[in-house]
Amino acid sequence: MSSPIIQLKDIWFSYGRGYALTGIELQVMPSTTTAVIGPSGSGKTTLLKVIAGLLKPEKGDVELLGHKLNEPPTGREIYRMVGYVPQQLGLVRSYTSLQNVLLGALARTSLIPSLLGFFSEQELILARECLSLVGLERKLNEKVYRLSGGERQRVAIARALTQKPKLLLADEFTSDLDYVTALDIMDLLRENTRTDITLIMATHNIEIASEYADTAIVLREGKKVSESKAKDLTQEMVRRVFT
């Protein structure tokens, strides 16, 4: 039996006024999809940032790929395996689609060439393949600010895939999309997580969570109030959390 790709043990985190996360326990197996559900302010984004190493918990242990992140080896050796798609996407609007996607290769590129925008032919081929994978092969040289919302989402996903992650974290990345486009994005991610990518997504969309996730955890006021098979989610169960 395979080992968990992520283990959170008694995670507590505070921004200074009360706790944003309180005693969170979580175990995620490889090549699965986990939906993190909860109302605004429930701790979904904070949880993803803790897993991504962007926030350090005040208490508790984060284990990624068998390594505790407060013990060596950490840094590039571990975090290069984690792709992160923030809610605001984090794209450089004045860059082209290709330039944005190449940012996913920075961890494998020497400092000076990356600062000058020089990437190997291998990285360029990979970036183009990832853009083609998300259906943007004709938008390689299009500035991001000229793209639609759905196209920007696809660029952000292509950037994450270019990183070659073992774990992909996605924060409410379908919240501003129409339903059909959101389903297209999820179909794309499901196709990639069937191999060796594990997906953890924060979402408020119950239909998407129940259709695409294996497991659903529900947060309220920084606490994990339930964990279940995503297909067993009901509107009534979640309504009690959101109200």
Side-chain angles (χ1 to χ4, degrees):
M1 184 176 179
S2 59
S3 300
I5 191 170
I6 279 285
Q7 288 196 88
L8 304 183
K9 300 177 181 179
D10 195 26
I11 297 297
W12 295 67
F13 180 84
S14 172
Y15 289 104
R17 295 182 179 180
Y19 280 95
L21 296 176
T22 305
I24 298 292
E25 303 273 347
L26 181 63
Q27 186 176 94
V28 177
M29 301 305 293
S31 300
T32 60
T33 296
T34 300
V36 182
I37 301 169
S40 178
S42 61
K44 302 188 299 296
T45 294
T46 302
L47 178 61
L48 262 61
K49 286 184 175 181
V50 166
I51 295 172
L54 300 174
L55 296 175
K56 184 178 180 180
E58 297 177 18
K59 179 184 176 184
D61 291 322
V62 179
E63 292 187 11
L64 172 59
L65 296 169
H67 297 287
K68 286 186 178 181
L69 298 189
N70 58 351
E71 298 176 356
T74 56
R76 294 183 75 176
E77 295 85 352
I78 299 299
Y79 290 120
R80 69 187 299 177
M81 302 179 191
V82 180
Y84 181 50
V85 182
Q87 187 170 358
Q88 301 304 319
L89 302 182
L91 300 176
V92 182
R93 289 173 56 86
S94 61
Y95 279 17
T96 65
S97 298
L98 181 60
Q99 288 172 321
N100 270 281
V101 170
L102 282 167
L103 296 178
L106 286 178
R108 301 187 298 272
T109 305
S110 300
L111 178 61
I112 299 302
S114 66
L115 291 175
L116 296 174
F118 296 144
F119 293 88
S120 69
E121 184 62 27
Q122 183 178 1
E123 298 293 3
L124 287 167
I125 291 172
L126 175 61
R128 293 189 184 102
E129 287 177 347
C130 289
L131 277 168
S132 179
L133 186 65
V134 300
L136 292 180
E137 59 272 17
R138 297 185 179 180
K139 302 279 186 172
L140 288 175
N141 298 312
E142 194 80 31
K143 300 283 188 180
V144 160
Y145 69 82
R146 294 176 178 168
L147 301 179
S148 68
E151 288 170 337
R152 291 175 190 173
Q153 300 281 5
R154 292 168 188 266
V155 171
I157 292 170
R159 179 190 59 194
L161 295 177
T162 299
Q163 192 176 332
K164 299 181 180 178
K166 292 292 185 182
L167 175 66
L168 180 58
L169 308 171
D171 186 8
E172 293 281 12
F173 67 118
T174 62
S175 59
D176 295 328
L177 302 178
D178 64 81
Y179 189 64
V180 173
T181 303
L183 292 183
D184 287 343
I185 294 293
M186 290 309 305
D187 284 339
L188 169 67
L189 284 177
R190 179 159 61 183
E191 196 62 36
N192 282 277
T193 54
R194 283 175 178 166
T195 52
D196 62 348
I197 298 178
T198 303
L199 173 64
I200 302 177
M201 61 177 181
T203 182
H204 64 272
N205 191 309
I206 309 308
E207 289 81 5
I208 283 180
S210 60
E211 171 67 22
Y212 290 93
D214 301 296
T215 302
I217 70 168
V218 180
L219 299 183
R220 185 183 178 105
E221 297 178 348
K223 299 178 182 178
K224 188 175 81 170
V225 297
S226 73
E227 180 172 346
S228 64
K229 292 182 179 179
K231 66 179 181 180
D232 295 334
L233 276 175
T234 65
Q235 291 286 355
E236 177 61 25
M237 290 168 58
V238 179
R239 185 188 64 79
R240 293 198 297 268
V241 174
F242 278 75
T243 57

